[in-house]
Amino acid sequence: MNQPEVLDSDIRALQQWLRAAWQQLGDSSLTTFSRRELRNQMKQCSADLRARLQMAAEQQSEPVQQPPPNYSRPPPRILSW
């Protein structure tokens, strides 16, 4: 895997974890302490996700530098009929 694929994989994993955490937060059997801990983990995960998204945006905005083409004038040719 190259760097963009790893970054994309991290972003997807963080999004899935947050989605599951929101569903778990709605569970009425959680204690107050468990809810607080889950919210703290969600805040940390959101910050990590924000950082990964920022990194992905920076990678996309960087122009891909290609070497300048080596165009040269072709030698003159004499065409006759």
Side-chain angles (χ1 to χ4, degrees), residues 12-22 38 41-42 45:
R12 278 198 207 106
L14 289 168
Q15 288 173 334
Q16 288 174 352
W17 188 90
L18 276 172
R19 195 173 301 120
W22 275 108
L38 183 58
Q41 290 174 2
M42 289 171 71
C45 186

Side-chain angles (χ1 to χ4, degrees), residues 52-65:
R52 297 295 192 298
L53 289 171
Q54 181 67 30
M55 288 171 47
E58 289 171 1
Q59 282 184 355
Q60 288 178 353
S61 67
E62 292 176 0
V64 176
Q65 300 225 349

Side-chain angles (χ1 to χ4, degrees), residues 31-49:
T31 64
T32 304
F33 178 77
S34 296
R35 275 184 210 283
R36 187 179 317 124
E37 285 300 311
L38 183 58
R39 283 195 306 264
N40 288 338
Q41 290 174 2
M42 289 171 71
K43 286 179 187 176
Q44 182 61 48
C45 186
S46 293
D48 292 343
L49 178 59

